[in-house]
Amino acid sequence: MDADMPRAPQYGFELLNIYCPTCGAPAAYDIVRHTYACAYCGNDTGVDEALQQKRGFRKLRQQKLQNSRDAFSAVKYTCTGCAAEMVFPQSEVLQSCSFCGRTLVRNKYLKTPDFPELIVPFRLTPDEARERLESWCSHNAGKREARHLRSCLDQLQGYYLPYELIRGPLNCTVSRAGSKRSFACGGFLTSTFVNTSEQLDNLTLNGMEPFDLRELHEFEFGYLAQQKAKVDEIGAKELDARVRQEVAASYREVIEETLETKNVDVSVNSQNLMRMPVLLPVYYICAGNVRAAVNGQTGKVAVRSEAVRKTVPWWIRPIAATLAVFAVAFAIASAALGNWEGGLTMAGMITLVMGLIFYTAFSNAYEGTKRQTLDPEIFTSRETFERAPDGSLRVGAPVVEDPVEPVFFENVDGVRTPVEIRFTTPGRTIRGLLLGLAVLALPMLIAFVLNGFSVQGLHPEGSAVWLCIFVVVVPAYLIKMGRIDIYENPYVYVTDEQGRRRKVKTESRTATVGGIVGALFSPSLIAAGLALLLFLVMGVYLTLGN
């Protein structure tokens, strides 16, 4: 197998790895070949076979849990407000719900399969978790969230919260919003957690991740002897929607950077992902508008902002662009005419035309959009902690996530091939600007050539009619049509085995060019072309002074 092919990294997570059925060694996922490849014997394990391997593990774990469940003594509480269900140790009593503050009703714990097969144990005690949250408040004393948290630190409660651990190959289709061009994207998720509690704030919980999966253990009921646990409530359909949302979020930053916009559509195919229920240690507080979580393993703090954030209205951009054009036009026109009154008149005329162009371009790009409420900001701490040999808590090395960079694919000569995608390259930008200037000066350039490459005797004012037309058309094309052409026809590069990069043509590019060629022969464009040709000939004639 090619050593340079992108693969998922291997860790010492015996409970999560896929093992080669031939030699038993851990197998690494090959993103390009879409299979698990063994580096020791070279055997390939298909995705379906890998999923079946994990299903067998889960079945054995569930049978083992059934045998040990009878010895587990606990009580179950149900909240009268948010309907949260919690399992408590037999000796512990709690009067109010930690997630909404309403009354709890005690029920008999039924021997049902409420718990997953995996767990990350608590490392921090309740007192240590409160110290971490109080320390965050001290370092952020100027924030109102810190002031509110200080008044209710005693409400911080520790729970094993239910999650789905998502791991495995990822395939998705991505595109810019409103674009007809889509791209295939593939990768591998090493450890994405999806909260399965209906009442809790996902953003806050996401903020206190990651967890160190080297401490992942098989679940035993003994873990609940001294700690409460929450039972998952969401149904299969909602869980699947959350999985897709979390998976899309895992790659969204890279996708947005590649497609050069935050307005992207991501469609996820999750059928090949391994989904394993797991309990994670979390200290959580919910009091009024205050939402905060402390990672029960690493001590990382996450606090949700109480402020409401709004998106910037779409019309801000055309206004800003119009004001910039006015400032530049006023400065140039005033200097050229020698007085500010004439410069103001000239700049006003240019700004009026360009303002209409900017408004049309941006209103089409954001058609149908309204000002949206953004997700609240999540404040997090930087330190993570570990247990010292003497039992004390000390600052430890941060838990580093090692995500696998997604790979984009295109059909190159009928073969699904890993590619690099680029849109607004410097060369494209410069060529667009030079082409615009050349179109504006086209009558003068032709007249210059016909005049024996001499400017003597030329009359630049003869190109006035041509300039009046294209001083509007050229900016409109560069702003609107130029952007469409760039984003619908990206540059696509492949890298060969020697590491050399070359640009290739794709199927979509050929289809787009063919459509443009066909459109050129439409009656409307033929008539417009003849009219422009007439204006061009007239401009050249007048510029030559004939």
Side-chain angles (χ1 to χ4, degrees), residues 19 68 264:
Y19 294 92
S68 63
V264 296

mmCIF file of all heavy atoms in Angstrom, residues 19 68 264:
data_model
loop_
_atom_site.group_PDB
_atom_site.id
_atom_site.type_symbol
_atom_site.label_atom_id
_atom_site.label_comp_id
_atom_site.label_asym_id
_atom_site.label_seq_id
_atom_site.Cartn_x
_atom_site.Cartn_y
_atom_site.Cartn_z
ATOM 1 N N TYR A 19 -9.687 -4.304 14.338
ATOM 2 C CA TYR A 19 -8.557 -5.223 14.292
ATOM 3 C C TYR A 19 -8.614 -6.096 13.042
ATOM 4 O O TYR A 19 -9.686 -6.521 12.608
ATOM 5 C CB TYR A 19 -8.529 -6.092 15.555
ATOM 6 C CG TYR A 19 -8.264 -5.290 16.804
ATOM 7 C CD1 TYR A 19 -9.312 -4.782 17.561
ATOM 8 C CD2 TYR A 19 -6.960 -5.007 17.198
ATOM 9 C CE1 TYR A 19 -9.076 -4.031 18.699
ATOM 10 C CE2 TYR A 19 -6.709 -4.248 18.340
ATOM 11 C CZ TYR A 19 -7.772 -3.760 19.082
ATOM 12 O OH TYR A 19 -7.526 -3.003 20.199
ATOM 13 N N SER A 68 -24.817 -8.633 35.597
ATOM 14 C CA SER A 68 -24.401 -7.885 36.798
ATOM 15 C C SER A 68 -25.447 -6.878 37.266
ATOM 16 O O SER A 68 -25.292 -6.289 38.327
ATOM 17 C CB SER A 68 -23.085 -7.157 36.520
ATOM 18 O OG SER A 68 -23.262 -6.195 35.494
ATOM 19 N N VAL A 264 -22.233 27.579 3.921
ATOM 20 C CA VAL A 264 -22.065 26.318 3.202
ATOM 21 C C VAL A 264 -23.187 25.351 3.577
ATOM 22 O O VAL A 264 -23.774 25.426 4.659
ATOM 23 C CB VAL A 264 -20.709 25.664 3.527
ATOM 24 C CG1 VAL A 264 -19.566 26.538 3.057
ATOM 25 C CG2 VAL A 264 -20.574 25.358 5.006
#
